[in-house]
Short mmCIF file of all heavy atoms in Angstrom, two decimals:
data_model
loop_
_atom_site.label_atom_id
_atom_site.label_comp_id
_atom_site.label_asym_id
_atom_site.label_seq_id
_atom_site.Cartn_x
_atom_site.Cartn_y
_atom_site.Cartn_z
N SER J 1 -66.86 -8.67 21.89
CA SER J 1 -65.82 -8.43 20.89
C SER J 1 -66.22 -8.84 19.49
O SER J 1 -65.61 -8.39 18.52
CB SER J 1 -64.52 -9.12 21.30
OG SER J 1 -64.67 -10.53 21.32
N CYS J 2 -67.29 -9.63 19.34
CA CYS J 2 -67.74 -10.00 18.00
C CYS J 2 -68.55 -8.88 17.35
O CYS J 2 -68.88 -8.95 16.17
CB CYS J 2 -68.56 -11.29 18.03
SG CYS J 2 -70.20 -11.13 18.75
N LEU J 3 -68.88 -7.84 18.14
CA LEU J 3 -69.66 -6.72 17.61
C LEU J 3 -68.83 -5.45 17.42
O LEU J 3 -69.36 -4.42 17.02
CB LEU J 3 -70.83 -6.40 18.56
CG LEU J 3 -71.84 -7.52 18.77
CD1 LEU J 3 -72.91 -7.08 19.76
CD2 LEU J 3 -72.46 -7.95 17.46
N LEU J 4 -67.54 -5.54 17.71
CA LEU J 4 -66.64 -4.38 17.59
C LEU J 4 -65.55 -4.65 16.58
O LEU J 4 -65.15 -5.80 16.38
CB LEU J 4 -66.00 -4.05 18.95
CG LEU J 4 -66.94 -3.58 20.03
CD1 LEU J 4 -66.20 -3.50 21.36
CD2 LEU J 4 -67.51 -2.22 19.68
N LEU J 5 -65.04 -3.60 16.00
CA LEU J 5 -63.90 -3.71 15.10
C LEU J 5 -62.62 -3.54 15.90
O LEU J 5 -62.59 -2.78 16.89
CB LEU J 5 -63.99 -2.67 14.00
CG LEU J 5 -65.23 -2.77 13.10
CD1 LEU J 5 -65.29 -1.59 12.14
CD2 LEU J 5 -65.24 -4.09 12.35
N ALA J 6 -61.57 -4.21 15.47
CA ALA J 6 -60.29 -4.13 16.17
C ALA J 6 -59.81 -2.68 16.35
O ALA J 6 -59.33 -2.33 17.43
CB ALA J 6 -59.24 -4.97 15.45
N PRO J 7 -59.93 -1.82 15.33
CA PRO J 7 -59.47 -0.44 15.52
C PRO J 7 -60.20 0.31 16.65
O PRO J 7 -59.65 1.27 17.20
CB PRO J 7 -59.75 0.22 14.17
CG PRO J 7 -59.66 -0.91 13.19
CD PRO J 7 -60.27 -2.07 13.93
N GLN J 8 -61.39 -0.13 17.03
CA GLN J 8 -62.10 0.51 18.12
C GLN J 8 -61.42 0.27 19.47
O GLN J 8 -61.68 0.98 20.43
CB GLN J 8 -63.55 0.03 18.18
CG GLN J 8 -64.38 0.51 17.01
CD GLN J 8 -65.78 -0.06 17.03
OE1 GLN J 8 -66.01 -1.20 16.64
NE2 GLN J 8 -66.73 0.74 17.51
N ALA J 9 -60.55 -0.72 19.53
CA ALA J 9 -59.83 -1.03 20.78
C ALA J 9 -58.46 -0.38 20.82
O ALA J 9 -57.75 -0.51 21.81
CB ALA J 9 -59.68 -2.55 20.91
N ASP J 10 -58.08 0.31 19.78
CA ASP J 10 -56.75 0.92 19.71
C ASP J 10 -56.49 1.80 20.94
O ASP J 10 -57.32 2.63 21.31
CB ASP J 10 -56.61 1.76 18.44
CG ASP J 10 -55.21 2.30 18.26
OD1 ASP J 10 -54.25 1.53 18.42
OD2 ASP J 10 -55.08 3.51 17.99
N GLY J 11 -55.37 1.58 21.57
CA GLY J 11 -54.98 2.37 22.73
C GLY J 11 -55.48 1.84 24.05
O GLY J 11 -55.15 2.37 25.11
N ASP J 12 -56.27 0.76 24.04
CA ASP J 12 -56.80 0.23 25.30
C ASP J 12 -55.71 -0.51 26.06
O ASP J 12 -54.94 -1.27 25.48
CB ASP J 12 -57.97 -0.72 25.04
CG ASP J 12 -58.67 -1.12 26.33
OD1 ASP J 12 -59.17 -0.22 27.01
OD2 ASP J 12 -58.69 -2.32 26.63
N ALA J 13 -55.65 -0.27 27.35
CA ALA J 13 -54.69 -0.93 28.23
C ALA J 13 -55.46 -1.88 29.14
O ALA J 13 -56.02 -1.45 30.15
CB ALA J 13 -53.90 0.08 29.03
N GLY J 14 -55.54 -3.14 28.78
CA GLY J 14 -56.27 -4.12 29.56
C GLY J 14 -55.63 -4.39 30.91
O GLY J 14 -54.45 -4.18 31.12
N GLU J 15 -56.46 -4.87 31.83
CA GLU J 15 -56.02 -5.15 33.19
C GLU J 15 -55.41 -6.54 33.31
O GLU J 15 -55.60 -7.39 32.47
CB GLU J 15 -57.22 -5.08 34.14
CG GLU J 15 -57.92 -3.76 34.13
CD GLU J 15 -59.20 -3.79 34.97
OE1 GLU J 15 -59.46 -4.80 35.64
OE2 GLU J 15 -59.90 -2.79 34.94
N GLU J 16 -54.68 -6.74 34.42
CA GLU J 16 -54.24 -8.08 34.78
C GLU J 16 -55.47 -8.88 35.20
O GLU J 16 -56.50 -8.31 35.52
CB GLU J 16 -53.23 -8.00 35.94
CG GLU J 16 -51.89 -7.41 35.55
CD GLU J 16 -51.09 -8.29 34.62
OE1 GLU J 16 -51.24 -9.53 34.68
OE2 GLU J 16 -50.33 -7.74 33.82
N LEU J 17 -55.34 -10.17 35.22
CA LEU J 17 -56.45 -11.01 35.65
C LEU J 17 -56.80 -10.70 37.10
O LEU J 17 -55.96 -10.38 37.91
CB LEU J 17 -56.09 -12.48 35.47
CG LEU J 17 -55.78 -12.88 34.03
CD1 LEU J 17 -55.36 -14.33 33.97
CD2 LEU J 17 -56.98 -12.63 33.13
N ASN J 18 -58.08 -10.85 37.44
CA ASN J 18 -58.57 -10.43 38.75
C ASN J 18 -58.88 -11.60 39.68
O ASN J 18 -58.83 -12.76 39.27
CB ASN J 18 -59.80 -9.53 38.56
CG ASN J 18 -60.92 -10.26 37.87
OD1 ASN J 18 -61.35 -11.30 38.34
ND2 ASN J 18 -61.40 -9.73 36.76
N PRO J 19 -59.23 -11.32 40.95
CA PRO J 19 -59.48 -12.35 41.95
C PRO J 19 -60.67 -13.27 41.63
O PRO J 19 -60.83 -14.30 42.28
CB PRO J 19 -59.77 -11.56 43.23
CG PRO J 19 -59.14 -10.24 43.02
CD PRO J 19 -59.23 -9.98 41.54
N LEU J 20 -61.48 -12.92 40.66
CA LEU J 20 -62.59 -13.81 40.29
C LEU J 20 -62.09 -15.19 39.87
O LEU J 20 -62.76 -16.19 40.10
CB LEU J 20 -63.41 -13.20 39.16
CG LEU J 20 -64.45 -12.16 39.55
CD1 LEU J 20 -65.02 -11.51 38.31
CD2 LEU J 20 -65.54 -12.79 40.37
N GLN J 21 -60.94 -15.23 39.24
CA GLN J 21 -60.41 -16.53 38.79
C GLN J 21 -60.25 -17.50 39.95
O GLN J 21 -60.61 -18.67 39.84
CB GLN J 21 -59.07 -16.35 38.09
CG GLN J 21 -59.19 -15.72 36.74
CD GLN J 21 -57.85 -15.61 36.07
OE1 GLN J 21 -56.87 -15.19 36.68
NE2 GLN J 21 -57.81 -16.00 34.82
N GLN J 22 -59.69 -17.02 41.06
CA GLN J 22 -59.52 -17.89 42.22
C GLN J 22 -60.88 -18.33 42.77
O GLN J 22 -61.05 -19.48 43.14
CB GLN J 22 -58.71 -17.19 43.31
CG GLN J 22 -58.47 -18.06 44.53
CD GLN J 22 -57.77 -19.37 44.21
OE1 GLN J 22 -56.87 -19.42 43.39
NE2 GLN J 22 -58.19 -20.44 44.85
N ALA J 23 -61.84 -17.42 42.82
CA ALA J 23 -63.17 -17.77 43.30
C ALA J 23 -63.81 -18.80 42.38
O ALA J 23 -64.46 -19.75 42.85
CB ALA J 23 -64.04 -16.53 43.41
N PHE J 24 -63.64 -18.67 41.07
CA PHE J 24 -64.19 -19.64 40.13
C PHE J 24 -63.56 -21.01 40.37
O PHE J 24 -64.23 -22.04 40.33
CB PHE J 24 -63.97 -19.19 38.68
CG PHE J 24 -65.14 -18.43 38.11
CD1 PHE J 24 -65.56 -17.25 38.68
CD2 PHE J 24 -65.80 -18.89 37.00
CE1 PHE J 24 -66.63 -16.55 38.17
CE2 PHE J 24 -66.88 -18.20 36.46
CZ PHE J 24 -67.30 -17.02 37.05
N ARG J 25 -62.27 -21.01 40.64
CA ARG J 25 -61.59 -22.28 40.88
C ARG J 25 -62.08 -22.93 42.17
O ARG J 25 -62.42 -24.11 42.19
CB ARG J 25 -60.08 -22.05 40.96
CG ARG J 25 -59.30 -23.31 41.19
CD ARG J 25 -57.82 -23.04 41.16
NE ARG J 25 -57.10 -24.26 41.42
CZ ARG J 25 -56.02 -24.33 42.15
NH1 ARG J 25 -55.49 -23.25 42.67
NH2 ARG J 25 -55.42 -25.48 42.34
N SER J 26 -62.13 -22.16 43.24
CA SER J 26 -62.51 -22.74 44.54
C SER J 26 -63.99 -23.12 44.59
O SER J 26 -64.36 -24.01 45.35
CB SER J 26 -62.16 -21.79 45.68
OG SER J 26 -62.94 -20.62 45.62
N CYS J 27 -64.83 -22.50 43.80
CA CYS J 27 -66.26 -22.84 43.77
C CYS J 27 -66.61 -23.82 42.65
O CYS J 27 -67.78 -24.11 42.42
CB CYS J 27 -67.11 -21.56 43.62
SG CYS J 27 -67.04 -20.47 45.05
N HIS J 28 -65.62 -24.30 41.92
CA HIS J 28 -65.81 -25.25 40.81
C HIS J 28 -66.77 -24.67 39.76
O HIS J 28 -67.66 -25.35 39.26
CB HIS J 28 -66.31 -26.60 41.31
CG HIS J 28 -65.43 -27.18 42.36
ND1 HIS J 28 -64.19 -27.71 42.08
CD2 HIS J 28 -65.58 -27.27 43.71
CE1 HIS J 28 -63.62 -28.11 43.19
NE2 HIS J 28 -64.44 -27.86 44.20
N ALA J 29 -66.56 -23.41 39.42
CA ALA J 29 -67.43 -22.73 38.47
C ALA J 29 -66.86 -22.74 37.05
O ALA J 29 -67.46 -22.16 36.16
CB ALA J 29 -67.65 -21.28 38.92
N LEU J 30 -65.74 -23.40 36.83
CA LEU J 30 -65.10 -23.37 35.51
C LEU J 30 -65.78 -24.28 34.50
O LEU J 30 -65.87 -23.95 33.34
CB LEU J 30 -63.62 -23.75 35.63
CG LEU J 30 -62.80 -22.77 36.44
CD1 LEU J 30 -61.43 -23.34 36.75
CD2 LEU J 30 -62.68 -21.44 35.72
N GLN J 31 -66.24 -25.43 34.89
CA GLN J 31 -66.91 -26.38 34.04
C GLN J 31 -66.14 -26.61 32.74
O GLN J 31 -64.94 -26.81 32.78
CB GLN J 31 -68.35 -25.94 33.82
CG GLN J 31 -69.08 -25.86 35.17
CD GLN J 31 -70.39 -25.17 35.07
OE1 GLN J 31 -71.28 -25.70 34.43
NE2 GLN J 31 -70.53 -24.03 35.70
N CYS J 32 -66.78 -26.55 31.58
CA CYS J 32 -66.07 -26.86 30.33
C CYS J 32 -65.15 -25.72 29.91
O CYS J 32 -64.20 -25.92 29.18
CB CYS J 32 -67.04 -27.20 29.20
SG CYS J 32 -67.79 -25.76 28.39
N GLY J 33 -65.44 -24.51 30.35
CA GLY J 33 -64.57 -23.37 30.07
C GLY J 33 -64.97 -22.53 28.88
O GLY J 33 -64.38 -21.48 28.66
N PHE J 34 -65.95 -22.95 28.09
CA PHE J 34 -66.30 -22.17 26.90
C PHE J 34 -66.87 -20.80 27.27
O PHE J 34 -66.48 -19.79 26.70
CB PHE J 34 -67.30 -22.93 26.02
CG PHE J 34 -67.53 -22.26 24.71
CD1 PHE J 34 -66.66 -22.46 23.66
CD2 PHE J 34 -68.60 -21.40 24.52
CE1 PHE J 34 -66.85 -21.82 22.43
CE2 PHE J 34 -68.80 -20.76 23.31
CZ PHE J 34 -67.92 -20.97 22.27
N CYS J 35 -67.77 -20.76 28.22
CA CYS J 35 -68.41 -19.49 28.59
C CYS J 35 -67.60 -18.72 29.62
O CYS J 35 -67.83 -17.52 29.85
CB CYS J 35 -69.81 -19.74 29.14
SG CYS J 35 -69.83 -20.64 30.72
N THR J 36 -66.66 -19.37 30.28
CA THR J 36 -65.95 -18.79 31.43
C THR J 36 -65.28 -17.45 31.15
O THR J 36 -65.46 -16.50 31.93
CB THR J 36 -64.94 -19.80 32.00
OG1 THR J 36 -65.63 -21.01 32.32
CG2 THR J 36 -64.26 -19.26 33.24
N PRO J 37 -64.51 -17.29 30.08
CA PRO J 37 -63.86 -15.99 29.87
C PRO J 37 -64.85 -14.83 29.77
O PRO J 37 -64.66 -13.78 30.41
CB PRO J 37 -63.08 -16.17 28.56
CG PRO J 37 -62.83 -17.63 28.48
CD PRO J 37 -64.06 -18.27 29.08
N GLY J 38 -65.93 -15.02 29.02
CA GLY J 38 -66.93 -13.96 28.89
C GLY J 38 -67.61 -13.65 30.20
O GLY J 38 -67.86 -12.49 30.54
N ILE J 39 -67.92 -14.69 30.97
CA ILE J 39 -68.57 -14.48 32.26
C ILE J 39 -67.63 -13.80 33.24
O ILE J 39 -68.03 -12.90 33.98
CB ILE J 39 -69.12 -15.80 32.82
CG1 ILE J 39 -70.31 -16.27 31.98
CG2 ILE J 39 -69.53 -15.65 34.28
CD1 ILE J 39 -70.85 -17.63 32.34
N LEU J 40 -66.37 -14.19 33.26
CA LEU J 40 -65.39 -13.54 34.15
C LEU J 40 -65.28 -12.05 33.86
O LEU J 40 -65.25 -11.22 34.77
CB LEU J 40 -64.01 -14.20 34.01
CG LEU J 40 -63.81 -15.51 34.75
CD1 LEU J 40 -62.51 -16.16 34.32
CD2 LEU J 40 -63.82 -15.30 36.25
#
C-alpha cells in the first residue's frame, strides 16, 4: 500500500478477516505484531 495511490483502490470490496488469524494465535506467530498484518 505504500506504492499505490488511494484512488487506485476505489471500488475495492475487501474481505472479512480469514482463518489465518486463528492459526497465528494458536502457533504463537504474532510476536510484536509489526509485520503481522502484511504477512497475514
Side-chain angles (χ1 to χ4, degrees):
S1 64
C2 72
L3 299 178
L4 294 172
L5 299 174
Q8 291 176 281
D10 186 47
D12 188 60
E15 301 174 5
E16 290 292 330
L17 299 177
N18 61 56
L20 278 171
Q21 288 182 314
Q22 182 57 39
F24 266 60
R25 181 176 178 219
S26 67
C27 292
H28 306 287
L30 296 168
Q31 299 168 67
C32 81
F34 188 83
C35 67
T36 304
I39 290 174
L40 281 170

